[in-house]
Amino acid sequence: DDGDYLRPLESKVSGSIRGRVGYAIENVMPYFTAGVAIGSFRDDHNGNGSDIAKETLTGYAIGGGIEWGITQNLIARGEYIFSDYGTNDFQFSGNDIHRIDVQTHDFRIGLAYKF
């Protein structure tokens, strides 16, 4: 065990189930979002692919964003989501365990069309 430290991980799959609360001002709506985050992460212990540890983790996701109604049918969105999966044990070969603090920061932009 190396103690708690930040370590770069590869995120295989991640997602969240979130609610959001916002207030529309004309055609702009700032909002806050929060919910449960789920992610699959892997770490390559020695960098050559021979000692891999994988974990599927749950945590929380919080963030905020803004939507803008460009037209009646076209909506643009920008948001930031922070997800925290806590400090977790990743076990490698030979019972080598590393405690890794797992967090993600996601910036997203989108464009939607309402039919």
Side-chain angles (χ1 to χ4, degrees):
D1 185 350
D2 304 286
D4 297 340
Y5 63 96
L6 291 174
R7 181 182 183 99
L9 296 175
E10 182 180 351
S11 174
K12 299 305 277 179
V13 176
S14 66
S16 61
I17 300 169
R18 297 177 282 123
R20 54 180 200 169
V21 175
Y23 185 76
I25 306 164
E26 306 238 349
N27 61 338
V28 176
M29 183 182 77
Y31 62 88
F32 171 77
T33 183
V36 176
I38 303 166
S40 175
F41 300 91
R42 74 189 284 275
D43 188 21
D44 185 348
H45 188 243
N46 51 20
N48 66 11
S50 65
D51 193 5
I52 303 290
K54 299 177 188 176
E55 293 292 332
T56 299
L57 308 171
T58 58
Y60 68 88
I62 59 172
I66 191 164
E67 284 191 356
W68 171 41
I70 300 169
T71 67
Q72 192 73 0
N73 298 87
L74 196 58
I75 301 165
R77 175 191 301 178
E79 70 180 1
Y80 165 74
I81 305 295
F82 168 76
S83 299
D84 191 341
Y85 299 90
T87 302
N88 301 272
D89 291 340
F90 281 71
Q91 185 170 346
F92 298 90
S93 64
N95 247 0
D96 189 10
I97 297 173
H98 294 267
R99 292 187 57 74
I100 302 173
D101 186 24
V102 183
Q103 299 175 342
T104 63
H105 301 270
D106 296 302
F107 296 90
R108 302 174 181 166
I109 58 171
L111 194 59
Y113 185 81
K114 292 190 320 184
F115 292 95

